Amino acid sequence: MGLVSSVEAKTKEVLAMQRVMDLKQKKRERDMEQSMKLAATRDRILWVAGYYAVLGLLAGTRHLTMHRTGHKFSWDGFFLPINQVAVCIPPFLVGYQLDYALWNKGERVAEEATKIREGAPHRWFGSEWLPVSEDSARWFNQPLVLPPGLHPAYEKLKSVSDTQRRLAGLTPEADWAVFESQQR
């Protein structure tokens, strides 16, 4: 009986460790996916803002040019005609795709995603003209809440991982999970 219960206990321990490793990997994948989506959205925001800035510049230039020639505007003539707005869309769409295909958009987005996952305050894409973002409070940067039954397996796995990281000259990783009884 003692041998069977010992094997059973060891099997449960191994299964709990495997479950914790799976949860850690899923959290890592989820964090990476969410941070990449956020970084890509920030990049798109910049492109759309650039598009509207060009439209505003064109509208202002058109207005000044026509105003100097003596053209009187009604309230609806101040803005660009819709056909000119449509003409401006394709070059921006092509530019967006060219940036990805020929230049380093993928690397910029991946670098921004890494900064988002690190959670430290930083400027978008490292530009001094863009807003500062502090992403540590985002939901995907928070620790997972695990059931208390996985706590021993988590502690053992974290201890092994921290030892391996110290031997490799790295700092121990931060806690990536909390337990239901430890919730804030």
Side-chain angles (χ1 to χ4, degrees):
M1 247 354 203
L3 179 64
V4 172
S5 63
S6 171
V7 169
E8 192 175 286
K10 190 68 172 165
T11 303
K12 285 182 179 181
E13 181 183 345
V14 168
L15 288 174
M17 294 268 293
Q18 183 64 41
R19 179 72 179 139
V20 169
M21 287 190 304
D22 289 344
L23 288 169
K24 181 179 181 181
Q25 183 61 31
K26 285 180 183 178
K27 178 183 178 358
R28 192 173 279 156
E29 289 170 5
R30 182 199 68 183
D31 293 354
M32 191 170 293
E33 178 184 347
Q34 291 300 315
S35 64
M36 286 296 286
K37 284 181 180 180
L38 182 57
T41 300
R42 287 177 180 175
D43 183 66
R44 264 185 249 117
I45 287 170
L46 296 176
W47 274 89
V48 170
Y51 171 73
Y52 284 115
V54 167
L55 284 183
L57 185 64
L58 286 174
T61 303
R62 175 179 172 267
H63 179 78
L64 285 174
T65 303
M66 293 179 83
H67 186 69
R68 286 185 181 157
T69 61
H71 187 275
K72 296 290 183 192
F73 286 101
S74 63
W75 68 272
D76 61 338
F78 178 79
F79 302 102
L80 282 177
I82 194 71
N83 65 348
Q84 290 181 6
V85 172
V87 166
C88 293
I89 291 174
F92 271 87
L93 292 177
V94 169
Y96 185 82
Q97 296 303 320
L98 281 174
D99 187 20
Y100 192 81
L102 300 178
W103 297 292
N104 64 350
K105 176 193 288 293
E107 287 78 15
R108 288 192 316 265
V109 170
E111 185 179 326
E112 179 70 11
T114 301
K115 289 178 183 175
I116 290 168
R117 282 191 306 278
E118 289 169 356
H122 67 282
R123 291 197 175 272
W124 287 12
F125 301 100
S127 172
E128 66 182 51
W129 303 102
L130 297 176
V132 173
S133 179
E134 200 276 311
D135 299 303
S136 64
R138 296 209 177 265
W139 67 271
F140 56 85
N141 278 340
Q142 300 301 313
L144 282 179
V145 178
L146 299 178
L150 293 177
H151 194 266
Y154 171 81
E155 289 298 329
K156 186 172 183 178
L157 186 67
K158 183 151 175 33
S159 171
V160 169
S161 174
D162 288 348
T163 302
Q164 290 173 344
R165 289 179 64 86
R166 270 192 223 98
L167 290 174
L170 302 170
T171 59
E173 63 185 353
D175 285 332
W176 56 270
V178 295
F179 297 88
E180 289 174 346
S181 59
Q182 297 175 344
Q183 270 186 307
R184 299 172 224 175

